[in-house]
Amino acid sequence: MEMLLFGVWALLALIPDPGAAEERFEVSVWPDQALVKYGQSLMVNCSTSCPDPGPGGIETLLKKTQVGNGPQWKEFLLEDVTQNSILQCFFSCAGIQKDINLGITVYQPPEQVIVELQPAWVAVDEAFTVTCHVPSVTPLENLTLILLQDNQELHRKNFRSLAMASQRAEVTINVKAQREDDRCNFSCHAELDLNSHGGGLFHSNSALQVLRIFEFSQSPKIWVSSLLEVGMAETVSCEVARVFPAEEVMIHMFLGDQELSPFLFWEGDTIWANATVRAMEIGDQELSCLTSLGPMEQRTSQPVHVYSFPPPILEIEEMNPLAGTEINVTCSGHILTSPSPTLRLQGAPDLPAPGEPAWLSLTASEEDDGRNLSCEASLEVQGQQLSKTTVIQLHVLYKPRFEESGCPGNQTWLEGMEQMLACVPKGNPTPVLMCTWNGTVFDLEVPQKATQNHSRTYCCTATNQLGSVSKDVAVLVEGLDEGVSSTILVIIIVALGAGVMVITVALYLNYRSCKKERRKLPYRQKEKNKEEESQFAVQQAGKHNKHNC
């Protein structure tokens, strides 16, 4: 009997206990580490090793949908995951429940990186800020922001601590502006390192921001006369010194409401503009210069006075009087001149009273031909004495005449040399000259090679509309050995006494040469009139050849 009971207990010991197996069951979840991009979905599988599991599933605040199941597993779809959370997977077995947690990490890569410069234009030696921020990125503790100037790292910032993680994804630094920083490129590089979460490395760059540095401490200077004459073109200038960069300065110039058109020039740190101004209104006005560089503007103004002062009016009773004619000359102020100017007429015996014209009476003579008559007007404007002068040339008409200086009666030529007959008559209108010998006209415009045949007396006749006159011109042609004579005289004076030296040596050379004088007619008539005058001169010359030459 004892043996039988022992066998039964041994047999029972070999049979598995179902309750013991259920106590040893496990619960698992897949994936074991969840990294989800912001707003995306996640598939979660919750399973157990219990052979006959009871109720099971997942507990989460996220929107879930069961998409599959089996005897020992269930699968769920989590949608629109936007925040970190902890999911609980659970199963019960033989009245015992077990669970396991799954941490879900949401990430958002730094897709937009923004860098800002404040201000974008900075004065030299002034501070400016460089700010980089990422509007949407998570998890912040895995983010690193790097500020760059051109390709050089300026500053690096991470957000590993919890205190930093609660802040915005932003970094700001202050920098002192220097000239060499002008046109430097600033950018920001963002890195999101998710290797610790089973992800990779995400990075992004901002757009480049260009920094502008300037120096603009001095006001512009205007260079303009305090007086401007109405209707007259005047040059005005505007200059700005100690400005950087000078070539980018904009200059606008105005006379009242009239905008000028300046031409700009620069050298080093100085820029200036020249413009032509033509004031059209009389009175006090303002010339202004507006300069700008980036966000900076400076304006300078200077008062000017616009006056009207036309030249005086000079009138001659007869512009081309005959010699011996009495003419009257009058000078008066212009009607647009205010107040009336003081007048002074050249040659007038007395000064007229203010506002009265000046006058002069004279008898025209040959010596007055070509004489300049002038009248000066004086006017005081804004304490400055101004003057204007009008000049008219008088042309006196008179008959032709010969002077010995212009037409020598005896002329000597050197044989074999190119020679021209030297004879220029006077007269107004300018006379036409014709020289003949025995009825043959001598060419006065082409040089002649002197021969003995030129030794003769020529009859020269000058003719204009007022009359004609003739003169004999004798030409003597000499040989080369006859035309030169010289005498050398040397006088040496020796003074008695110590230290007396030769004080003078004189060499006298008397050389008589032929006189060369190219004659050019100072006045030419038009071709049609010249032909008529030539015919007239030939006729007059024929008459004078019979009676005068």
Short mmCIF file of all heavy atoms in Angstrom, two decimals, residues 227-234 277-280 305-311 388:
data_model
loop_
_atom_site.label_atom_id
_atom_site.label_comp_id
_atom_site.label_asym_id
_atom_site.label_seq_id
_atom_site.Cartn_x
_atom_site.Cartn_y
_atom_site.Cartn_z
N LEU A 227 25.06 135.16 -54.63
CA LEU A 227 24.26 135.87 -55.64
C LEU A 227 24.20 135.03 -56.90
O LEU A 227 25.22 134.55 -57.41
CB LEU A 227 24.87 137.24 -55.95
CG LEU A 227 24.92 138.26 -54.81
CD1 LEU A 227 25.59 139.53 -55.28
CD2 LEU A 227 23.52 138.55 -54.28
N LEU A 228 23.01 134.89 -57.45
CA LEU A 228 22.79 134.19 -58.71
C LEU A 228 22.04 135.13 -59.65
O LEU A 228 21.07 135.76 -59.24
CB LEU A 228 21.99 132.91 -58.52
CG LEU A 228 22.62 131.81 -57.65
CD1 LEU A 228 21.66 130.63 -57.54
CD2 LEU A 228 23.96 131.36 -58.23
N GLU A 229 22.52 135.20 -60.90
CA GLU A 229 21.84 136.05 -61.88
C GLU A 229 20.76 135.25 -62.58
O GLU A 229 20.99 134.11 -63.02
CB GLU A 229 22.83 136.60 -62.89
CG GLU A 229 22.21 137.59 -63.86
CD GLU A 229 23.23 138.25 -64.77
OE1 GLU A 229 24.44 137.95 -64.61
OE2 GLU A 229 22.84 139.05 -65.62
N VAL A 230 19.59 135.82 -62.67
CA VAL A 230 18.46 135.13 -63.25
C VAL A 230 18.75 134.75 -64.69
O VAL A 230 19.31 135.52 -65.47
CB VAL A 230 17.18 136.00 -63.17
CG1 VAL A 230 17.31 137.24 -64.04
CG2 VAL A 230 15.95 135.20 -63.56
N GLY A 231 18.42 133.50 -65.03
CA GLY A 231 18.59 133.01 -66.38
C GLY A 231 20.00 132.61 -66.74
O GLY A 231 20.22 132.05 -67.82
N MET A 232 20.97 132.84 -65.87
CA MET A 232 22.37 132.53 -66.16
C MET A 232 22.74 131.20 -65.51
O MET A 232 22.36 130.91 -64.37
CB MET A 232 23.30 133.63 -65.66
CG MET A 232 23.02 134.99 -66.28
SD MET A 232 23.22 134.99 -68.09
CE MET A 232 24.99 134.75 -68.20
N ALA A 233 23.50 130.40 -66.23
CA ALA A 233 23.93 129.10 -65.71
C ALA A 233 25.08 129.29 -64.74
O ALA A 233 26.06 129.98 -65.04
CB ALA A 233 24.35 128.18 -66.86
N GLU A 234 24.94 128.69 -63.56
CA GLU A 234 25.98 128.75 -62.54
C GLU A 234 26.25 127.32 -62.05
O GLU A 234 25.36 126.48 -62.01
CB GLU A 234 25.53 129.60 -61.35
CG GLU A 234 25.33 131.07 -61.68
CD GLU A 234 26.63 131.83 -61.85
OE1 GLU A 234 27.69 131.27 -61.47
OE2 GLU A 234 26.59 132.97 -62.34
N VAL A 277 22.94 125.18 -62.24
CA VAL A 277 21.65 125.74 -61.83
C VAL A 277 21.36 126.98 -62.67
O VAL A 277 22.27 127.75 -62.99
CB VAL A 277 21.66 126.09 -60.32
CG1 VAL A 277 22.74 127.10 -59.99
CG2 VAL A 277 20.30 126.59 -59.89
N ARG A 278 20.11 127.14 -63.05
CA ARG A 278 19.68 128.30 -63.81
C ARG A 278 18.40 128.84 -63.15
O ARG A 278 17.31 128.32 -63.36
CB ARG A 278 19.42 127.93 -65.27
CG ARG A 278 19.30 129.13 -66.21
CD ARG A 278 18.96 128.66 -67.61
NE ARG A 278 19.93 127.76 -68.16
CZ ARG A 278 21.00 128.15 -68.86
NH1 ARG A 278 21.18 129.43 -69.11
NH2 ARG A 278 21.84 127.26 -69.35
N ALA A 279 18.59 129.86 -62.32
CA ALA A 279 17.46 130.42 -61.58
C ALA A 279 16.57 131.23 -62.53
O ALA A 279 17.06 132.02 -63.34
CB ALA A 279 17.95 131.29 -60.44
N MET A 280 15.26 131.04 -62.41
CA MET A 280 14.33 131.72 -63.29
C MET A 280 13.44 132.71 -62.56
O MET A 280 12.64 133.39 -63.19
CB MET A 280 13.45 130.68 -64.02
CG MET A 280 14.24 129.63 -64.80
SD MET A 280 15.48 130.32 -65.93
CE MET A 280 14.41 131.18 -67.07
N HIS A 305 20.49 134.76 -53.25
CA HIS A 305 19.65 135.84 -53.77
C HIS A 305 19.77 135.87 -55.29
O HIS A 305 20.88 135.91 -55.84
CB HIS A 305 20.08 137.19 -53.19
CG HIS A 305 19.24 138.33 -53.68
ND1 HIS A 305 17.96 138.57 -53.21
CD2 HIS A 305 19.49 139.29 -54.63
CE1 HIS A 305 17.47 139.63 -53.84
NE2 HIS A 305 18.37 140.08 -54.71
N VAL A 306 18.65 135.84 -55.97
CA VAL A 306 18.61 135.85 -57.43
C VAL A 306 18.28 137.27 -57.89
O VAL A 306 17.29 137.85 -57.46
CB VAL A 306 17.57 134.85 -57.97
CG1 VAL A 306 17.59 134.85 -59.49
CG2 VAL A 306 17.85 133.45 -57.43
N TYR A 307 19.14 137.83 -58.74
CA TYR A 307 18.96 139.20 -59.22
C TYR A 307 18.91 139.22 -60.74
O TYR A 307 19.33 138.27 -61.42
CB TYR A 307 20.10 140.10 -58.72
CG TYR A 307 21.44 139.76 -59.33
CD1 TYR A 307 21.90 140.41 -60.47
CD2 TYR A 307 22.25 138.77 -58.76
CE1 TYR A 307 23.13 140.10 -61.03
CE2 TYR A 307 23.47 138.45 -59.31
CZ TYR A 307 23.90 139.11 -60.46
OH TYR A 307 25.11 138.79 -61.01
N SER A 308 18.42 140.35 -61.28
CA SER A 308 18.37 140.55 -62.73
C SER A 308 19.24 141.76 -63.08
O SER A 308 19.02 142.86 -62.56
CB SER A 308 16.93 140.78 -63.19
OG SER A 308 16.89 141.07 -64.58
N PHE A 309 20.21 141.55 -63.94
CA PHE A 309 21.13 142.62 -64.32
C PHE A 309 21.63 142.38 -65.75
O PHE A 309 22.77 141.98 -65.96
CB PHE A 309 22.30 142.69 -63.33
CG PHE A 309 23.24 143.84 -63.56
CD1 PHE A 309 22.85 144.98 -64.27
CD2 PHE A 309 24.53 143.81 -63.06
CE1 PHE A 309 23.73 146.02 -64.47
CE2 PHE A 309 25.42 144.85 -63.26
CZ PHE A 309 25.01 145.97 -63.97
N PRO A 310 20.79 142.63 -66.77
CA PRO A 310 21.24 142.49 -68.14
C PRO A 310 22.29 143.56 -68.47
O PRO A 310 22.35 144.62 -67.83
CB PRO A 310 19.97 142.69 -68.98
CG PRO A 310 18.84 142.50 -68.02
CD PRO A 310 19.36 142.96 -66.70
N PRO A 311 23.13 143.34 -69.46
CA PRO A 311 24.13 144.35 -69.86
C PRO A 311 23.44 145.63 -70.34
O PRO A 311 22.28 145.61 -70.78
CB PRO A 311 24.90 143.67 -71.00
CG PRO A 311 24.63 142.21 -70.83
CD PRO A 311 23.26 142.11 -70.25
N LYS A 388 28.55 145.40 -65.55
CA LYS A 388 28.36 144.78 -66.87
C LYS A 388 28.82 145.77 -67.93
O LYS A 388 28.61 146.99 -67.79
CB LYS A 388 26.90 144.41 -67.11
CG LYS A 388 26.37 143.27 -66.26
CD LYS A 388 26.91 141.94 -66.75
CE LYS A 388 26.28 140.78 -66.00
NZ LYS A 388 24.88 140.56 -66.37
#
